[in-house]
Amino acid sequence: MIVGLIIVMTLILIKYQPVYAVKFGGEEIGYIESKKAFEQVLEEELGENEIENVAYKNINKDVKYKLKLVDKTISSNENEILSKMNEESETVYYEYAIIVNGENKEYVNTEEEANQIVENIKQELGEELNIEVTKVYTKEKEIQNDIEIATISDNITNNIKEQKVQEKKKQEATVNGIYLQVDPVKGHITSRYGAREAIRSHEHRGLDVAAPTGTPIKAITQGTIEYSSSMSGYGNLIIIDHGNGVKTYYGHCSKLYKKVGEEVETGEVIAAVGSTGNSTGPHLHLEVRVDNKIMNPLNYVYK
């Protein structure tokens, strides 16, 4: 019986060979002779890569092996299997990010380049900065090729300077925690806060901005409509309550688009320029009041 079994096995091995069938994402894609040798080659293929800034590759499909006997006329195809896996793998890149105040500003290929850029920025600005370099891994390369280190340094430096300008502007335009961020109408300033003119018997309490009738008037910042009607010298007037004691007045309007109690967003159109009330021509009369005190609007807008 043993002799018969040996004969059968011998005949099988003469016609068939043991191989590993490779299943990739549930699909059988070929055969390999040695699972151990193939996995080693696969690991090398997916590991450190000679291509610039490629960290490694991920295979997002299941890889399974099954030992089986196949006809000896069937050849193993390790290279084809590796090629298919490579085609469907996900490439992960590494780059060096220059981070300023917690925000990624630029990416470069090497740590040396990144450190040089940081040094250039510090020399240019001459101040302490919250700036660092970190290695990051991404699926899409962020690096802009062929840009010189000096150019990248200048770009970040200018960005930091502009950011500081905007931060200062925001700080100056903030009162009681309310940021008055939008110029309400495009036009020409014809009368400033505090001006004395024949049209009135007192100093000007607001800012006049001349513009054609019908020009949209926008809310300086978000708030609630407190008043929307006619009021003596103001003509058609909208008052917005922005909270924290901050209110804005928009006078001499030709049309009022919002009603009392409505919520408005920053920059939303609330009315149209006109010449109603005590007015000599189409313009917006703007007032800013803080805790019932009339303030100079130019402290916050039209800078």
Side-chain angles (χ1 to χ4, degrees):
M1 183 175 179
I2 294 177
V3 174
L5 183 59
I6 293 174
I7 293 172
V8 171
M9 291 297 296
T10 301
L11 291 173
I12 290 174
L13 292 176
I14 289 173
K15 183 173 177 59
Y16 299 97
Q17 61 178 328
V19 293
Y20 284 93
V22 180
K23 278 193 171 183
F24 184 51
E27 175 191 357
E28 189 172 294
I29 60 174
Y31 304 102
I32 58 175
E33 295 178 359
S34 169
K35 176 183 174 184
K36 182 177 181 180
F38 178 79
E39 287 183 329
Q40 184 175 349
V41 173
L42 181 60
E43 184 176 348
E44 291 172 357
E45 284 281 328
L46 300 178
E48 291 295 330
N49 200 297
E50 294 180 359
I51 299 175
E52 187 177 46
N53 291 94
V54 172
Y56 55 87
K57 294 182 178 180
N58 278 332
I59 292 180
N60 297 322
K61 292 183 178 180
D62 290 336
V63 180
K64 294 183 179 180
Y65 307 92
K66 183 178 181 181
L67 185 62
K68 63 190 302 186
L69 291 173
V70 298
D71 194 292
K72 281 191 174 182
T73 59
I74 297 176
S75 302
S76 59
N77 58 335
E78 286 93 342
N79 290 337
E80 291 179 15
I81 294 171
L82 286 171
S83 177
K84 183 173 181 61
M85 289 181 173
N86 256 320
E87 288 176 2
E88 300 196 30
S89 64
E90 176 184 75
T91 302
V92 177
Y93 300 91
Y94 70 87
E95 301 165 333
Y96 291 88
I98 297 96
I99 301 175
V100 181
N101 297 326
E103 179 182 351
N104 291 11
K105 293 298 183 182
E106 290 285 353
Y107 300 84
V108 292
N109 287 316
T110 68
E111 188 173 13
E112 290 74 17
E113 289 175 324
N115 288 333
Q116 182 60 59
I117 290 169
V118 170
E119 185 62 29
N120 292 349
I121 294 169
K122 288 183 176 179
Q123 288 180 3
E124 172 68 21
L125 295 178
E127 57 184 274
E128 288 294 324
L129 293 170
N130 180 14
I131 183 169
E132 60 181 313
V133 172
T134 186
K135 189 175 185 179
V136 296
Y137 295 89
T138 63
K139 295 178 183 178
E140 297 290 338
K141 290 186 71 173
E142 300 287 349
I143 298 170
Q144 299 180 43
N145 293 325
D146 302 325
I147 298 181
E148 295 182 355
I149 289 178
T151 301
I152 296 175
S153 301
D154 289 343
N155 288 344
I156 297 177
T157 299
N158 293 335
N159 185 276
I160 292 172
K161 289 179 179 179
E162 177 60 24
Q163 196 171 41
K164 288 183 178 296
V165 169
Q166 293 303 319
E167 288 173 354
K168 183 179 179 182
K169 181 178 178 181
K170 181 177 180 179
Q171 185 178 13
E172 290 176 347
T174 300
V175 56
N176 284 9
I178 304 299
Y179 177 28
L180 307 182
Q181 51 190 308
V182 173
D183 294 340
V185 71
K186 291 182 178 180
H188 176 66
I189 295 175
T190 55
S191 181
R192 297 172 182 266
Y193 174 84
R196 283 195 170 275
E197 296 156 331
I199 192 174
R200 64 184 69 86
S201 60
H202 53 76
E203 290 184 351
H204 194 203
R205 295 173 182 170
L207 181 73
D208 287 350
V209 184
T213 299
T215 301
I217 299 171
K218 300 177 181 179
I220 290 180
T221 192
Q222 65 185 23
T224 305
I225 303 296
E226 181 181 278
Y227 187 90
S228 180
S229 187
S230 178
M231 181 184 289
S232 58
Y234 288 101
N236 292 329
L237 171 70
I238 275 189
I239 301 174
I240 302 178
D241 184 351
H242 304 288
N244 294 355
V246 179
K247 298 180 182 182
T248 50
Y249 287 51
Y250 309 79
H252 305 309
C253 305
S254 60
K255 294 180 180 179
L256 305 176
Y257 299 138
K258 299 296 179 181
K259 298 179 181 179
V260 172
E262 285 191 72
E263 301 289 332
V264 293
E265 298 298 322
T266 302
E268 186 174 349
V269 175
I270 57 173
V273 169
S275 186
T276 56
N278 188 13
S279 170
T280 58
H283 71 283
L284 166 68
H285 171 82
L286 173 69
E287 289 183 17
V288 175
R289 300 195 182 196
V290 180
D291 297 327
N292 293 321
K293 181 180 179 181
I294 301 176
M295 311 296 287
N296 184 354
L298 290 178
N299 289 340
Y300 314 105
V301 292
Y302 294 102
K303 291 183 173 292

